Amino acid sequence: MRNAHIDPSTVAFTLVAAVAIGCARSNPSPELSQEAGRAPADSLVGNWVLRAEPPLPPPGINLTVTIDSSHGDRVFGRLSHLFTGNVGTDTREYQPFAGSVNETGGIEFTIEKRDPSLLGLSVAGQISGDTLKCHELTLGPDELGSDSRVWFFVREER
C-alpha cells in the first residue's frame, strides 16, 4: 500500500460538511417543527363563524370573529358580527383582542366590551384544520358550553 498524501483542508471541509448534514437531518427548522406539532398561528387568519350541533332554531346566534394577524403563538383579531335572536349588536362596542395558541392547537381569547362593567365573549377550544371546537364559550353572562350542544367555529374565506 502506498502512502498517499491527504490535504488537511480537504479533511477539515469533509468533517464540517458531515456535521452540518447531520445537524440538518436531526434538527428540523422551527417552521417544520411547528407544522408537525400544530397548525401555525398564521393559518388561523380569517373569519370564524360560530355554529352549533344540533343547530339552534332560527333566528339563533349569528357570531363571527375575525383573526386579522398572528405573531408567534399569538393571534390578534376582533368581533366582526354579532346578532342574537332578532337583535343586532354594534361590534364597535367590543375591543380588539389578543389570544394565544399552544403547541397542541389549543386556543384561548377574550373579547372585552369597551364598557368594563359589561361582560364580553370568552372562548377556549381546540383547532383542527378549519374548525375550532369550543371547550368553553361564554357570551355575556351566558355560558353556552353548559348545554347539550357542541359549539364550534368554522373558518370561512374572506
Side-chain angles (χ1 to χ4, degrees):
M1 179 172 196
R2 222 169 65 174
N3 275 344
H5 175 68
I6 299 174
D7 181 12
S9 63
T10 303
V11 172
F13 175 79
T14 305
L15 288 174
V16 168
V19 169
I21 291 170
C23 288
R25 287 187 181 156
S26 65
N27 236 354
S29 70
E31 295 81 20
L32 294 176
S33 297
Q34 284 182 347
E35 288 176 11
R38 66 176 168 92
D42 289 342
S43 70
L44 304 179
V45 172
N47 293 323
W48 293 82
V49 179
L50 182 65
R51 301 279 189 243
E53 188 58 47
L56 290 174
I61 299 172
N62 294 302
L63 186 148
T64 303
V65 171
T66 299
I67 296 177
D68 293 308
S69 64
S70 66
H71 181 71
D73 63 350
R74 305 288 291 166
V75 292
F76 305 91
R78 60 196 156 80
L79 179 66
S80 51
H81 181 78
L82 177 57
F83 211 86
T84 56
N86 58 0
V87 178
T89 300
D90 184 354
T91 57
R92 292 175 294 186
E93 293 177 14
Y94 292 82
Q95 297 188 43
F97 71 87
S100 62
V101 182
N102 68 26
E103 61 278 350
T104 62
I107 184 169
E108 292 184 7
F109 58 88
T110 298
I111 305 173
E112 296 177 352
K113 290 201 92 167
R114 294 198 186 275
D115 179 347
S117 66
L118 300 173
L119 299 173
L121 168 72
S122 178
V123 176
Q126 185 70 36
I127 297 286
S128 178
D130 287 339
T131 302
L132 185 169
K133 184 178 178 187
C134 298
H135 301 302
E136 296 175 23
L137 176 61
T138 304
L139 179 58
D142 301 318
E143 188 175 322
L144 300 179
S146 63
D147 63 8
S148 60
R149 283 186 171 78
V150 174
W151 295 90
F152 56 98
F153 286 85
V154 176
R155 185 170 56 166
E156 294 187 344
E157 297 295 319
R158 336 196 254 187

